[in-house]
Amino acid sequence: ASSLAAGCGARVAAYVRLMPPKQLQVQQQQQNPQVLPAKEANLFKTALKFYNGKKYKKGLRSVDQILVKFPKHAETLGIKALVLNSLDRMEEAHVAAREGIKSDVRSFVCWHALGVLHRTEHNYPEASKCFRTALRFDERNDRILRDLNLLQVMMRDYTGYIDTRRKFLEQRPSLRANWIGLITAYHLSGNNQVALKTILTYEDSIQPVAEPEFEHGELLLYKNLIIEQMGDMSAAIEDLNKCERLVIDKTQHQEIMGRLTHQAGRFEYAEKIWRDLIFKNSEHYAYHQALILTRSRIPYGQGLPDLKLPATPYDRKASLPHLNDDQVATLESVYDDLAGAYPRSNLVKRVPLTFTRGESFKRRLLAYIVPYLRKGIPSLFGDLKALYTDKDKVAAIEEVALACETSLRTNRSLPLKQDKEGEQESPSSMLWTLFFLAQHYDRLEQHDKAFKYLEEALNHTPTVIELHMFKARIYKHAGNLALAAEAFDSARKMDFADRYLNTKTTLYLLRADKPTEADRMIGLFTKEGENPVIYLAEMQACRYELEKAESFYRTGQYGLALKMLKAIDKHFVDIRDDETDFHGYCLRRGALRAYYRMVEFEDDLFSQPYYVRMAKGFVRTYLALHTKPAAPKAAEIDEYAGMSEIERKKAISKKKREDARKQVPEPKAKGKGPKGKQLPEAKPDPDPFGEALATIPDTLKEASKYITTLKLSVPKDVEVHILACDLYARRQKYLLVLNSLRKLAKFVSSDPAAYRAQMFSLHTLHKVLEAGGVTHPEVRQVIESEIRDICGGKTLAQMHEAHMAQGPLTPHLRTVGAEVSVLLDPSCAPVQGAGLVDMVATANTYKDCVSAYGLLQHTIANPATTDAFQKACHKKFPQATLFAPPQASSSETR
């Protein structure tokens, strides 16, 4: 049998050798459909070149030519999927990739292509599965390994990331980037001990570095950072001393040494380092703050925020801890010496104002502000604004400023006489003194006095733009946003070339709820020929879009508000996606500490102020839509009357998209590209008014996505938990309501808004339990137990009475107290309304009365009481348009 088989095999081989080449290729294709003939193989290579050269349409034509003859060729289908992905034809791309896998389940090209598609759609778990499957069939494919490695660090899958980086190192141990990648993988995963050991192994494997190099110096500072995070400050200081010769950035080296010695409690050495740094740059606030802490022997981190290293550990916004008299006296002596050494340094004169008190503070303040008033520097008040948290210093600032005014009016000279006896000041000194006093009284919410000083300054010199800008600011603080926008526009017209004035005018117009005028205004400085809204979206102008969204929300245009908020959400998604570009770049450049800061920034991306405001705006808007859903047009109601609510909304949205496509003309050529080519216009917006966003079936479910993100990103934000209580109560998620109430508990005593949310949520839970809304016995038992724990055995009325008797009755607390009282006992509404009218006399700003006015209008609903409250508010705050009589026009206000 074996000899027969051998003879048959020999005859088949002879037959194949005698077969013509074309017939041989056909037979091979029939035996293995994944093998292409020579012509199609060349066409396949051409398609790959087109894809790599980003000529996607030509690449698509090439693969289609192959698939006409060989429709089951898996690799061609995989390349087609990648090309279609680049052309944004995702559905067709998925079909092609899955067809390729069906044709050859072992094709790593198809699995890789499917993973790329999932990655484009931000479905990272599925993409990771596809890349891992592709590696099963081609374990040493560098391209797939790189994609998987990038995906793992994006998902923060550090266990898999370490395994992938180890494979890279095993393949090419001589490549520096592979060592750096493994070191950062261990460090990011929190395994500092192994990361340090890997760095030491790498240092032993290379030739000793004799001269300072940037990349090697960065590696040494990165190693020092790892040692510091391990908590061994002595070892970190010793290591930093060893690497000083090889570090190029000596200033950075000194800053790190100052921080380490401060943490180690070596105050004298740390003080010397910070003095040396002040000698290099006496205008660096962090150096002065560090000098104050080390000279006062205050431990590192006390009174300062917990900032992540290796960022600057000293923050200008952080308030210093309380200093005793001995510490203050010592620091005064230190800064007197520094003032002699650096006579031209403004910060050396400014820093003592943060810790001095009494007469010493007045003396130093006068010496500090006189040169500013004499030279006419408008930023003086902005520089001193941080001192207004101390009431004693506020009184001292007012006393010194009034003394300057009096001296100028009587003697035409400032109190501090440094010039010849009898020499008079320039008239501009009086102007800037009046301007400072106007800013001072505006800060104290004394708008009448602020207007008085500002008008005198305008009469003195009406051409100073800063005065007109500040006039708009006073109007804004006084509650007249329309006049504030007009005043800022007047300032803008004094200098049409000033971009700052144009931007601020746009901001004031948006706050006055004039978005159309704001678009026209901001369009004056956007790219010529571009739609300003589209241009600003491309520039990711989050502040403009946020202010516009909030304007739409205030005017009840919820669809447009959601559209603006969605644009901001997309910006943050893009920022997160842009992270992929930096993982490889930072490691190649050797900027390891910058890379570590970038990863930390991305981890905290959703705690950024713009994102937090955007997410809260989404939740508020969806809650408003849940209260009052967006109503469809009458014709649409008749047309879709036979459908369910969900089906009707989907059909309406689909019809609107189809109508928009029919009405939009063909795109026309617009402008010229870099090589003179005509560029097509942007695609038409299928939902220009955000109606599709405003008519989604379940608004509360959509809002829950943002609340979940906020609770993880900013867990200490009280407003997030207030919104969560309202949202979960509407969704009947009562255990989640209790969870949010637990988070609110520590804010209740100090924040009236938190107390209101607590009482309303507890009242809702009581009503639900009484009505039998919770049927599960264990859930009901948990809710009852938690309510008893929160209430402490008291009724809601007893809790409310005890809370109102605890602290000072601020206007906000009185308003909340009235609202809760009416909630618990509706019959007390007339009494509470009268109390709110009496409250106006104690209000400091018009904002103290806004919520009370809404309560009177919508809850208490007593026209006589509301009218009396409105008149009292209008008398006390005549500029606030909210309380102006309906017949009053803007011309009747100042």
Side-chain angles (χ1 to χ4, degrees):
S2 61
S3 61
L4 180 63
C8 291
R11 286 194 297 272
V12 169
Y15 173 73
V16 168
R17 285 195 297 271
L18 295 173
M19 188 181 299
K22 187 172 183 180
Q23 188 176 354
L24 177 62
Q25 290 177 0
V26 171
Q27 183 172 349
Q28 289 176 347
Q29 177 66 28
Q30 291 174 351
Q31 293 173 356
N32 185 3
Q34 302 306 320
V35 177
L36 289 176
K39 179 181 178 181
E40 282 71 19
N42 291 332
L43 198 57
F44 182 82
K45 294 178 182 177
T46 304
L48 277 177
K49 290 181 180 178
F50 285 140
Y51 175 73
N52 292 329
K54 298 184 179 181
K55 299 177 181 179
Y56 302 122
K57 291 185 178 180
K58 292 183 179 179
L60 184 60
R61 284 197 293 270
S62 299
V63 295
D64 282 340
Q65 290 177 27
I66 300 172
L67 293 174
V68 169
K69 294 183 179 179
F70 305 102
K72 299 295 183 181
H73 188 254
E75 293 187 0
T76 304
L77 288 167
I79 298 300
K80 181 177 181 179
L82 293 175
V83 172
L84 290 169
N85 172 56
S86 300
L87 293 172
D88 292 331
R89 293 160 61 177
M90 297 304 298
E91 294 183 5
E92 298 176 59
H94 275 284
V95 171
R98 295 186 185 281
E99 286 294 327
I101 291 173
K102 287 180 183 178
S103 301
D104 184 7
V105 74
R106 299 179 62 84
S107 171
F108 70 89
V109 175
C110 294
W111 283 108
H112 187 203
L114 186 59
V116 171
L117 298 182
H118 285 307
R119 186 182 65 189
T120 303
E121 296 173 336
H122 310 293
N123 189 354
Y124 296 141
E126 287 300 320
S128 178
K129 291 178 184 178
C130 293
F131 290 151
R132 289 181 182 278
T133 306
L135 284 173
R136 285 170 50 196
F137 306 122
D138 191 1
E139 294 181 357
R140 303 182 70 83
N141 190 306
D142 286 348
R143 180 67 177 270
I144 303 175
L145 268 176
R146 280 197 301 270
D147 285 345
L148 177 61
N149 158 69
L150 186 60
L151 202 62
Q152 286 167 334
V153 71
M154 286 286 291
M155 297 169 60
R156 304 300 188 258
D157 175 18
Y158 291 125
T159 303
Y161 184 52
I162 290 172
D163 292 338
T164 308
R165 297 306 316 186
R166 192 183 291 115
K167 289 180 182 178
F168 276 116
L169 183 61
E170 290 171 355
Q171 290 180 10
R172 299 183 66 182
S174 60
L175 193 62
R176 181 180 186 275
N178 291 340
W179 283 96
I180 298 300
L182 184 60
I183 291 166
T184 56
Y186 281 125
H187 183 213
L188 292 174
S189 67
N191 198 341
N192 294 334
Q193 193 73 38
V194 180
L196 179 60
K197 188 182 295 185
T198 309
I199 292 177
L200 296 175
T201 304
Y202 170 68
E203 289 180 338
D204 293 339
S205 67
I206 61 175
Q207 294 292 331
V209 179
E211 297 296 328
E213 295 177 359
F214 171 77
E215 292 185 1
H216 189 68
E218 277 292 313
L219 179 62
L220 294 176
L221 293 179
Y222 188 66
K223 178 179 73 172
N224 186 263
L225 171 64
I226 294 174
I227 298 173
E228 178 184 353
Q229 292 182 346
M230 292 170 64
D232 191 348
M233 297 305 155
S234 299
I237 294 171
E238 182 181 355
D239 175 77
L240 196 62
N241 281 323
K242 289 180 181 178
C243 69
E244 180 179 3
R245 183 180 60 84
L246 298 175
V247 173
I248 293 178
D249 192 347
K250 301 299 182 184
T251 301
Q252 183 72 62
H253 183 276
Q254 276 187 289
E255 290 176 358
I256 297 172
M257 182 62 76
R259 185 181 69 233
L260 293 176
T261 51
H262 190 180
Q263 292 182 79
R266 296 165 62 177
F267 294 110
E268 293 180 0
Y269 189 28
E271 181 187 347
K272 180 180 180 301
I273 292 173
W274 294 118
R275 282 179 179 271
D276 292 341
L277 287 169
I278 289 174
F279 175 76
K280 289 183 177 181
N281 183 4
S282 62
E283 301 295 334
H284 197 307
Y285 186 82
Y287 297 166
H288 290 276
Q289 192 177 40
L291 177 62
I292 291 172
L293 295 175
T294 52
R295 189 67 183 87
S296 303
R297 304 300 186 255
I298 297 174
Y300 179 87
Q302 183 173 331
L304 295 173
D306 184 17
L307 297 179
K308 294 186 176 182
L309 300 174
T312 303
Y314 307 101
D315 184 13
R316 189 180 186 111
K317 296 181 180 178
S319 59
L320 291 170
H322 179 72
L323 303 174
N324 58 41
D325 293 339
D326 293 337
Q327 290 172 325
V328 171
T330 302
L331 290 173
E332 285 194 68
S333 175
V334 168
Y335 272 89
D336 287 339
D337 295 339
L338 289 176
Y342 312 104
R344 302 186 64 180
S345 172
N346 287 327
L347 205 53
V348 168
K349 301 182 184 71
R350 169 63 179 83
V351 169
L353 299 179
T354 61
F355 56 78
T356 53
R357 296 185 283 268
E359 293 300 321
S360 175
F361 174 79
K362 292 180 185 179
R363 175 174 52 82
R364 292 177 182 274
L365 176 66
L366 181 61
Y368 184 72
I369 70 171
V370 163
Y372 278 75
L373 297 176
R374 184 173 287 147
K375 294 176 183 178
I377 301 176
S379 61
L380 173 60
F381 181 79
D383 188 13
L384 298 178
K385 192 163 58 175
L387 302 175
Y388 276 66
T389 55
D390 189 328
K391 293 182 179 180
D392 295 334
K393 290 185 178 181
V394 171
I397 291 172
E398 183 172 345
E399 181 182 339
V400 170
L402 289 175
C404 291
E405 179 202 5
T406 304
S407 179
L408 285 169
R409 290 188 189 278
T410 56
N411 305 321
R412 291 191 62 185
S413 64
L414 289 166
L416 191 63
K417 297 181 185 287
Q418 294 179 342
D419 302 323
K420 294 180 180 179
E421 192 68 27
E423 184 173 341
Q424 294 182 340
E425 296 287 344
S426 167
S428 64
S429 299
M430 187 66 185
L431 168 69
W432 296 111
T433 303
L434 295 171
F435 182 46
F436 180 83
L437 283 166
Q439 292 174 297
H440 169 77
Y441 285 116
D442 177 66
R443 177 74 178 185
L444 300 181
E445 304 288 351
Q446 299 179 28
H447 302 304
D448 290 337
K449 287 187 177 181
F451 270 121
K452 173 189 169 185
Y453 280 104
L454 182 63
E455 287 176 357
E456 186 177 352
L458 283 168
N459 292 332
H460 185 284
T461 312
T463 57
V464 177
I465 295 178
E466 285 79 7
L467 300 180
H468 294 271
M469 292 166 55
F470 188 66
K471 185 177 183 180
R473 192 175 183 84
I474 298 178
Y475 277 132
K476 181 188 74 170
H477 293 161
N480 196 329
L481 298 177
L483 277 183
E486 291 179 17
F488 222 108
D489 192 43
S490 299
R492 180 190 68 84
K493 290 176 181 177
M494 299 176 72
D495 186 358
F496 287 106
D498 194 319
R499 185 187 294 267
Y500 172 78
L501 293 175
N502 176 269
T503 305
K504 290 293 286 185
T505 304
T506 303
L507 179 62
Y508 273 66
L509 286 170
L510 288 174
R511 288 174 177 168
D513 297 332
K514 298 178 180 179
T516 305
E517 295 180 31
D519 290 343
R520 179 185 59 80
M521 189 65 61
I522 199 67
L524 298 175
F525 274 86
T526 55
K527 192 174 181 180
E528 187 177 357
E530 292 279 350
N531 184 329
V533 178
I534 297 175
Y535 179 78
L536 290 170
E538 292 174 353
M539 295 295 104
Q540 297 184 344
C542 291
R543 186 176 185 185
Y544 167 79
E545 291 168 330
L546 264 176
E547 294 288 348
K548 196 170 183 181
E550 291 170 357
S551 174
F552 286 136
Y553 174 78
R554 288 191 296 268
T555 55
Q557 302 178 68
Y558 298 134
L560 290 171
L562 290 171
K563 190 174 179 63
M564 288 289 103
L565 294 171
K566 198 69 178 177
I568 302 167
D569 194 13
K570 183 180 181 303
H571 297 336
F572 279 88
V573 172
D574 292 341
I575 292 171
R576 188 63 185 267
D577 290 343
D578 291 342
E579 176 190 338
T580 57
D581 299 331
F582 290 91
H583 287 293
Y585 174 78
C586 290
L587 297 183
R588 287 196 307 272
R589 298 292 298 172
L592 302 181
R593 293 178 301 143
Y595 173 69
Y596 180 65
R597 289 197 296 270
M598 186 273 295
V599 173
E600 286 196 324
F601 169 79
E602 291 288 347
D603 288 342
D604 294 337
L605 181 64
F606 298 134
S607 64
Q608 297 298 314
Y610 282 144
Y611 184 87
V612 173
R613 279 179 65 185
M614 178 272 297
K616 290 178 182 177
F618 260 117
V619 176
R620 290 193 203 96
T621 308
Y622 279 130
L623 289 175
L625 284 170
H626 179 260
T627 304
K628 186 180 179 181
K633 299 177 182 178
E636 292 171 341
I637 296 176
D638 296 335
E639 185 178 352
Y640 306 105
M643 298 183 179
S644 67
E645 183 70 14
I646 297 176
E647 292 173 345
R648 181 178 60 78
K649 289 181 178 179
K650 288 183 178 178
I652 291 170
S653 178
K654 183 178 179 181
K655 185 175 183 301
K656 285 179 180 176
R657 288 195 299 270
E658 292 174 352
D659 291 342
R661 291 193 195 100
K662 292 177 183 177
Q663 294 174 4
V664 173
E666 291 293 325
K668 298 178 182 178
K670 177 186 175 182
K672 292 188 177 182
K675 296 183 180 179
K677 296 182 179 180
Q678 294 292 325
L679 297 178
E681 284 186 347
K683 294 181 180 179
D685 189 349
D687 185 25
F689 301 106
E691 294 176 355
L693 293 169
T695 55
I696 60 174
D698 192 348
T699 57
L700 297 182
K701 184 178 180 182
E702 193 69 21
S704 297
K705 298 177 183 177
Y706 292 97
I707 276 291
T708 302
T709 303
L710 288 174
K711 289 173 70 176
L712 294 173
S713 303
V714 283
K716 296 181 180 180
D717 191 326
V718 61
E719 190 178 1
V720 170
H721 300 298
I722 292 172
L723 290 171
C725 286
D726 188 5
L727 174 63
Y728 292 139
R730 297 188 191 208
R731 294 194 68 193
Q732 300 180 3
K733 305 286 187 181
Y734 301 121
L735 293 179
L736 292 176
V737 173
L738 290 171
N739 178 266
S740 298
L741 286 176
R742 284 287 185 187
K743 301 289 178 61
L744 276 178
K746 55 187 172 185
F747 302 107
V748 167
S749 59
S750 59
D751 192 332
Y755 171 66
R756 178 191 179 278
Q758 182 192 59
M759 296 302 292
F760 270 71
S761 299
L762 290 173
H763 183 265
T764 300
L765 292 174
H766 274 294
K767 291 294 184 183
V768 168
L769 293 176
E770 290 174 2
V774 180
T775 57
H776 197 288
E778 293 182 0
V779 174
R780 185 182 182 89
Q781 184 178 357
V782 170
I783 293 175
E784 290 175 346
S785 173
E786 286 292 324
I787 290 177
R788 284 194 301 270
D789 190 16
I790 294 173
C791 296
K794 299 178 182 178
T795 64
L796 293 182
Q798 291 171 339
M799 280 183 64
H800 180 52
E801 183 179 357
H803 184 84
M804 297 302 293
Q806 283 179 359
L809 289 178
T810 62
H812 191 188
L813 182 58
R814 290 184 67 173
T815 303
V816 169
E819 190 173 5
V820 173
S821 298
V822 173
L823 175 73
L824 300 178
D825 183 12
S827 63
C828 71
V831 177
Q832 296 298 330
L836 291 177
V837 176
D838 297 336
M839 180 201 73
V840 177
T842 62
N844 294 321
T845 70
Y846 84 98
K847 293 180 181 179
D848 292 336
C849 303
V850 172
S851 56
Y853 190 42
L855 176 63
L856 287 168
Q857 284 181 311
H858 305 297
T859 304
I860 295 178
N862 187 325
T865 306
T866 304
D867 187 55
F869 181 86
Q870 180 184 6
K871 290 178 179 178
C873 290
H874 181 60
K875 183 177 179 181
K876 185 163 186 179
F877 309 109
Q879 291 295 331
T881 54
L882 178 65
F883 308 119
Q887 68 275 12
S889 63
S890 60
S891 61
E892 295 176 359
T893 58
R894 185 174 313 192

